[in-house]
Amino acid sequence: MGLTLRDRSAKGCLRSLEGECWIDRESSGCEFRDARLGDRFRKLLTQIGSAMGQSIPLVCQDWANTKAAYRFFSNDRVSEVDILAGHFQSTRDRAAATEGLVLVLHDTTEFSYQREKSEAIGITKSINSGRDKAGRLRSHTVCGILMHSSLAVTIECVPLGLAAVKFWTRKKFKGTAALKKKINPTRIPIEKKESVRWLENLKQSTQLLDHPGRCIHIGDRESDIYELFCAAQETGTHFLIRTCVDRLAGDGDHTIADEMDEVAVKGLHRIEVRDSNGDSDQAVLEIRYRKIRVLPPIGKQKRYPALTLTVIHAEERGTPKNRKKIDWKLITDLPVGSRAGAIEKLEWYALRWKIEVFHKILKSGCKAEESKLRTAQRLTNLT
């Protein structure tokens, strides 16, 4: 039998109460400089949560609440640190209530906005927009902000929450690209490059979760940074990174690739995949792994020590149709002593897609890029 109008109303009230309880839990750890800001924050969470993806005037319903929302987002006494403090505490509590390892998934995304004047927000990149009538290349800058987030999940892929978030625009690192053209990028201190965000989020999320040995930090090829490996070792935590750099190995007279070429296939692993048409397909992976002494870049060998790490290669047999061949090269400080251990690490890395789904939800579900707010601060606070 269908629900009566009264049943539907009661069910709606129950969902509303559950939402309010969730908001109370997630915001209880927030400490704004003014209690009224905390009250407005909780009210905004309720309003936005009830109509996700809608405009601020629509969710606020009247002009008084709309103006109050705009004042909140532009208030100099409000920052993403204040807004996320409660959620970070809840993430820590949920992690403490679980057993086993915690995977911390790291990734960067861009939020782009259509603005006539980008100065108040900033730019993310310059892209090629074709040629003019004279045949000269044209380019235009993309207005937007960047976000580097760290999502904690269990090894069963249950999300625990964000453990660190960093927002910025390219203005902060203006001139770095030009500097790389004059100096070997490996000789530029990590503190002067955008990639320092990987180290900062690793340290912040590890400190938040309070059990460094439980955490395994997972990142794509952009996170293949030697300083990150050293930061993890200093913090007492672990990492599993998809590598893109063929680093010096052993005594420095050869590379990681040279050593891995000597390793025989230690097992096969069959997985289900999707091709470019969305059709199901199977892939057979050849598994190789070896513990290797890895050296820092030549220009940084006085500052950073050599590390003993494990490299895992998973390469697909044959050449598939309608999709790219799978060729994963992972590097980790975790021990790998068997085919099963190597497959386990591959499956953990495969969970990295979860943070890409999170970023997609922010853009497509929450419509974060459709906001008309005019400054980076306001957009950051809204996001």
Side-chain angles (χ1 to χ4, degrees), residues 142-207:
V142 177
C143 174
I145 58 177
L146 299 100
M147 180 181 78
H148 187 69
S149 49
S150 305
L151 177 67
V153 304
T154 67
I155 56 174
E156 293 81 20
C157 208
V158 177
L160 301 173
L162 292 170
V165 174
K166 189 175 188 63
F167 292 89
W168 77 102
T169 66
R170 290 266 149 80
K171 182 179 179 181
K172 181 178 179 181
F173 294 94
K174 187 176 181 180
T176 303
L179 185 62
K180 289 179 182 178
K181 294 178 181 178
K182 300 178 181 179
I183 303 174
N184 185 330
T186 63
R187 297 179 183 271
I188 301 174
I190 188 72
E191 295 81 9
K192 292 186 178 181
K193 297 190 286 187
E194 279 189 16
S195 48
V196 72
R197 68 188 186 275
W198 293 93
L199 279 66
E200 292 172 345
N201 272 34
L202 179 142
K203 293 174 182 178
Q204 181 182 329
S205 55
T206 302
Q207 183 179 11

Side-chain angles (χ1 to χ4, degrees), residues 286-310:
E286 296 179 342
I287 308 297
R288 297 178 175 85
Y289 55 88
R290 172 178 276 189
K291 185 180 289 187
I292 296 176
R293 183 175 184 265
V294 181
L295 303 179
I298 292 176
K300 298 184 178 180
Q301 289 184 358
K302 292 182 179 180
R303 185 174 179 184
Y304 299 104
L307 300 173
T308 301
L309 306 173
T310 299

Side-chain angles (χ1 to χ4, degrees), residues 39-256:
D39 294 338
R40 176 55 58 182
F41 171 58
R42 283 182 283 275
K43 185 169 185 176
L44 275 170
L45 275 182
T46 303
Q47 292 170 326
I48 293 174
S50 66
M52 194 63 68
Q54 299 299 324
S55 67
I56 293 173
L58 191 147
V59 301
C60 291
Q61 298 186 340
D62 60 60
W63 183 233
N65 277 313
T66 300
K67 285 199 298 182
Y70 289 146
R71 285 197 299 268
F72 178 85
F73 292 128
S74 61
N75 195 316
D76 291 336
R77 295 181 296 168
V78 175
S79 70
E80 66 265 28
V81 175
D82 302 318
I83 291 171
L84 287 167
H87 174 67
F88 287 156
Q89 183 60 53
S90 294
T91 298
R92 178 175 180 166
D93 294 343
R94 283 187 285 267
T98 63
E99 296 182 355
L101 298 172
V102 175
L103 307 181
V104 186
L105 316 176
H106 302 264
D107 199 19
T108 304
T109 192
E110 298 178 0
F111 295 96
S112 300
Y113 304 96
Q114 298 294 327
R115 300 289 191 274
E116 288 186 9
K117 297 181 179 180
S118 62
E119 291 81 5
I121 295 176
I123 61 172
T124 56
K125 59 188 174 184
S126 178
I127 61 175
N128 187 354
S129 55
R131 296 180 181 273
D132 59 19
K133 292 182 179 179
R136 294 169 297 192
L137 284 173
R138 296 179 301 177
S139 64
H140 71 273
T141 54
V142 177
C143 174
I145 58 177
L146 299 100
M147 180 181 78
H148 187 69
S149 49
S150 305
L151 177 67
V153 304
T154 67
I155 56 174
E156 293 81 20
C157 208
V158 177
L160 301 173
L162 292 170
V165 174
K166 189 175 188 63
F167 292 89
W168 77 102
T169 66
R170 290 266 149 80
K171 182 179 179 181
K172 181 178 179 181
F173 294 94
K174 187 176 181 180
T176 303
L179 185 62
K180 289 179 182 178
K181 294 178 181 178
K182 300 178 181 179
I183 303 174
N184 185 330
T186 63
R187 297 179 183 271
I188 301 174
I190 188 72
E191 295 81 9
K192 292 186 178 181
K193 297 190 286 187
E194 279 189 16
S195 48
V196 72
R197 68 188 186 275
W198 293 93
L199 279 66
E200 292 172 345
N201 272 34
L202 179 142
K203 293 174 182 178
Q204 181 182 329
S205 55
T206 302
Q207 183 179 11
L208 176 77
L209 298 172
D210 201 31
H211 292 281
R214 285 184 67 195
C215 299
I216 301 172
H217 298 269
I218 297 178
D220 61 9
R221 284 174 287 192
E222 193 179 358
S223 65
D224 185 9
I225 304 166
Y226 199 86
E227 290 90 338
L228 180 75
F229 307 161
C230 295
Q233 185 183 61
E234 292 169 3
T235 311
T237 192
H238 305 288
F239 62 87
L240 177 62
I241 302 296
R242 188 173 177 188
T243 182
C244 65
V245 181
D246 188 17
R247 302 184 183 280
L248 292 173
D251 294 327
D253 58 350
H254 62 279
T255 67
I256 291 175

Side-chain angles (χ1 to χ4, degrees), residues 2-15:
L3 293 173
T4 66
L5 186 60
R6 180 177 294 177
D7 290 334
R8 293 194 190 100
S9 178
K11 193 172 182 179
C13 289
L14 180 60
R15 282 200 299 267

